[in-house]
Amino acid sequence: MTTNWQREYIMETYALPFLRKGLNIKCGQDSGKIIGFCNGKIKVKLDSGGQAFFHPTWEMIYLKGNEVLADFTTKTTGENLSLIHISEPTRPRLIS
């Protein structure tokens, strides 16, 4: 059973203020329409038939008509990261 708090949790946790049932999504080769939310996942009715659950940001594209609301398919390769970014990403430190 889908409850409102599950949608709100996903909206807050992943900064997806537009999230609602009926939005179209693409995830890899799959596409479909959001029909619910459960256990931190998005429940989708697939265009190819059937249903699937997807992580809210893993390779997802959110669409409203032809408008892209959010695209999580871009990958960061780490090419622009220094050793400081890699070794201590969560601890800010002054460098002299």
Side-chain angles (χ1 to χ4, degrees):
M1 176 181 209
T2 300
T3 60
N4 211 24
W5 69 266
Q6 292 174 355
R7 181 179 73 97
E8 290 173 8
Y9 169 80
I10 294 170
M11 289 171 61
E12 271 186 44
T13 303
Y14 300 104
L16 300 170
F18 53 82
L19 194 62
R20 62 176 177 74
K21 290 181 184 178
L23 279 180
N24 292 318
I25 64 98
K26 288 185 181 180
C27 186
Q29 299 296 322
D30 295 317
S31 62
K33 191 173 295 271
I34 296 174
I35 59 172
F37 311 94
C38 185
N39 297 325
K41 303 276 195 247
I42 295 174
K43 186 176 182 181
V44 176
K45 181 176 181 185
L46 300 172
D47 293 340
S48 59
Q51 298 176 357
F53 289 89
F54 294 102
H55 184 277
T57 59
W58 186 259
E59 298 296 314
M60 292 285 281
I61 301 174
Y62 292 92
L63 303 159
K64 184 177 180 182
N66 290 330
E67 177 188 3
V68 175
L69 300 175
D71 184 345
F72 293 97
T73 60
T74 57
K75 294 183 176 30
T76 304
T77 61
E79 295 170 0
N80 298 323
L81 298 179
S82 70
L83 288 176
I84 293 169
H85 289 104
I86 295 167
S87 63
E88 296 184 328
T90 59
R91 216 166 78 194
R93 183 181 277 208
L94 295 174
I95 300 170
S96 55

